[in-house]
Amino acid sequence: MRQRKPLVVANWKMNGSLDLVQQMSDALSVLKQPLPDILICPPVIFLSYFPKHANYKLGAQNMSEQLVGAFTGEISADMLRTAGASHVIIGHSERRALYGELDSVISQKVKVAVDAGLTPILCVGETLQQREEEKTLQVLARQLDAVYAAQPHLLAHSVVSYEPIWAIGTGQTATPQQAQQVHQFIRQHLAQYDVQAADAVKIIYGGSVTAANCEALFAEADIDGALIGGASLKVADFSAICTMAKDS
Ligand code: PGA
């Protein structure tokens, strides 16, 4: 049996509605045990509308690297905790590409999240050009080192999500073998900081995961679950993915 319990994360991005909150919580509440760890990351405004004491947890898609103060439009780690979040996605490629988030800021966010008692889900991944130039592993090493080289103790409190940018929202998922190869590299790379934590850390995959392709991904030794965008907005699909993860 696999020693890392699978984790399935819904990243709604800037989508969803109160109707979807209701439909999703109803659908998840009737899923039968055993289940994977399930995490819903809706836009933060919806967090407080989810029922308490459910069979899933709640997370945010981003947070400020600052603790408090004059940062218009930002939300702090403590505020997310108050709103019911246990996890926070950090360094998603859309944040890196569209909002100019640099490795240094992402590193700070991971630290602030852990200090506040949140579990950061650190997203790393390469562009198509970087993959074609065979720079994938180099890019991932840089993104991981930016967070953990100076703060290796954060690894034991983190989840890592491998998200090849060319696979996000494109329908072009990495093959299970491609993903496994990278996940294995990530785990080996992290072992230089803390062997035990690297063995225990959940490394999930994101990028066009669907109910049709998730099973083969979950079967790989170092793929501990998935971060799901588009398919997490479809209640039946997301429920099916959760059901398949529990069996992996
Ligand atoms: P997708 O998004 O499932 O729609 O490709 C994944 C992600 O952004 O992590």
Side-chain angles (χ1 to χ4, degrees):
M1 209 176 112
R2 183 190 286 261
Q3 77 273 42
R4 295 178 294 268
K5 187 174 180 192
L7 170 67
V8 177
V9 182
N11 176 12
W12 285 9
K13 308 192 181 184
M14 201 173 72
N15 297 296
S17 61
L18 288 182
D19 273 353
L20 185 60
V21 169
Q22 189 68 51
Q23 287 166 26
M24 188 63 81
S25 51
D26 287 351
L28 295 180
S29 72
V30 298
L31 292 183
K32 302 239 175 343
Q33 293 289 347
L35 288 173
D37 288 334
I38 301 172
L39 180 71
I40 312 290
C41 300
V44 285
I45 194 75
F46 294 141
L47 285 174
S48 58
Y49 290 91
F50 280 87
K52 308 257 177 297
H53 311 299
N55 56 357
Y56 52 84
K57 292 184 174 174
L58 296 172
Q61 302 169 16
N62 179 37
M63 55 162 243
S64 176
E65 72 277 21
Q66 305 290 344
L67 298 182
V68 66
F71 302 102
T72 300
E74 292 292 288
I75 297 179
S76 75
D78 276 346
M79 292 168 190
L80 293 178
R81 290 271 299 168
T82 305
S86 59
H87 291 63
V88 56
I89 298 170
I90 292 182
H92 189 280
S93 63
E94 286 153 19
R95 301 291 320 169
R96 293 179 191 257
L98 303 175
Y99 300 95
E101 278 192 19
L102 301 175
D103 282 336
S104 53
V105 169
I106 290 163
S107 167
Q108 183 65 18
K109 287 187 179 192
V110 171
K111 178 181 183 308
V112 168
V114 171
D115 286 351
L118 291 168
T119 301
I121 301 174
L122 173 68
C123 297
V124 296
E126 80 286 3
T127 62
L128 184 58
Q129 188 182 348
Q130 288 163 337
R131 175 161 278 265
E132 284 172 352
E133 291 171 358
E134 297 184 3
K135 291 187 181 149
T136 299
L137 303 186
Q138 191 183 321
V139 169
L140 295 173
R142 191 205 73 221
Q143 292 172 336
L144 294 167
D145 291 347
V147 176
Y148 299 113
Q151 335 176 82
H153 63 284
L154 297 179
L155 183 59
H157 305 280
S158 299
V159 170
V160 175
S161 187
Y162 169 54
E163 310 218 319
I165 295 169
W166 47 271
I168 296 179
T170 59
Q172 192 195 345
T173 186
T175 65
Q177 295 72 26
Q178 274 175 327
Q180 165 58 24
Q181 202 179 28
V182 173
H183 282 228
Q184 192 177 23
F185 165 79
I186 291 173
R187 200 176 300 286
Q188 281 166 358
H189 189 80
L190 293 174
Q192 70 184 297
Y193 300 125
D194 182 335
V195 174
Q196 258 185 324
D199 190 44
V201 70
K202 292 180 193 189
I203 306 177
I204 61 177
Y205 168 81
S208 296
V209 175
T210 65
N213 63 23
C214 67
E215 228 172 347
L217 288 160
F218 294 153
E220 296 291 339
D222 288 290
I223 300 182
D224 304 317
L227 195 155
I228 298 152
S232 76
L233 299 168
K234 299 176 194 148
V235 171
D237 290 25
F238 187 69
S239 302
I241 294 170
C242 291
T243 305
M244 287 189 257
K246 79 182 177 206
D247 293 324
S248 63

